[in-house]
Amino acid sequence: MTLDVDPPEPPELAAVDPNEYEDAEVAGGEYRRDELEAFLREGAWEEAFAEWAAGSDMDEEDWRIALDLELVSRFDFFWDDFADRVGYHAPGLPEDWKERDLHPELDSWGTVSAINAGLTELGQIVCETLKEEYIDWEAEFEAPDDLPDFGE
């Protein structure tokens, strides 16, 4: 499927410790958000969004709900020096979405799942785009000399 929508503005990255997220464990403290945010604004966001939208399973109604709830602005991207990768936290709808009456058109677990999965996929593509096309720095983490060599 193709999601034929214009890309929203890239998220502004907040100074949040990524270890506060349930889905992330990051060593180090230099997350390079300013640089990542600059890359997003220089084209990484739009490039990744276009790639994601070309194969997204989200439909326009799902996307409109995500925009109405301002979920895109809650993405977070950060440098994980230990793993030499861009990490991310994708926003999502909570399990108690029905009780909270978050949006008048949010009426099924299928929609909730489509939005949550779609935003997770978008986050992953943004990370890959940043790492492959924009980042030219090397990880500063150096493994100790006494680690076993499993490659031989």
Side-chain angles (χ1 to χ4, degrees):
M1 264 172 60
T2 298
L3 180 61
D4 188 21
V5 295
D6 292 329
E9 288 295 312
E12 292 182 19
L13 306 182
V16 175
D17 182 345
N19 292 303
E20 292 180 22
Y21 301 127
E22 293 177 15
D23 57 353
E25 187 173 321
V26 181
E30 177 55 46
Y31 304 120
R32 303 183 90 149
R33 284 193 173 92
D34 290 340
E35 292 157 285
L36 293 174
E37 190 171 321
F39 291 147
L40 292 174
R41 296 206 176 282
E42 291 168 9
W45 177 259
E46 197 166 310
E47 183 180 329
F49 188 88
E51 179 183 336
W52 170 77
S56 178
D57 289 333
M58 283 180 76
D59 61 26
E60 289 185 24
E61 182 180 326
D62 297 340
W63 181 245
R64 190 176 66 256
I65 293 169
L67 288 179
D68 288 350
L69 294 173
E70 299 179 352
L71 294 176
V72 174
S73 68
R74 291 191 270 163
F75 265 106
D76 188 18
F77 299 95
F78 47 87
W79 179 247
D80 182 348
D81 195 61
F82 182 78
D84 191 31
R85 69 177 178 94
V86 178
Y88 74 102
H89 174 73
L93 297 169
E95 289 185 21
D96 64 349
W97 60 271
K98 198 175 247 185
E99 292 82 18
R100 294 168 107 185
D101 196 26
L102 295 174
H103 191 279
E105 294 175 39
L106 191 58
D107 57 6
S108 75
W109 276 106
T111 300
V112 170
S113 295
I115 291 170
N116 287 348
L119 294 176
T120 298
E121 291 166 359
L122 174 57
Q124 184 61 43
I125 292 172
V126 170
C127 290
E128 292 167 3
T129 301
L130 284 166
K131 179 72 170 134
E132 293 169 11
E133 305 294 330
Y134 289 83
I135 293 174
D136 61 1
W137 62 70
E138 297 291 324
E140 294 178 15
F141 175 78
E142 292 188 30
D145 293 333
D146 60 350
L147 287 180
D149 185 5
F150 295 109
E152 295 180 14

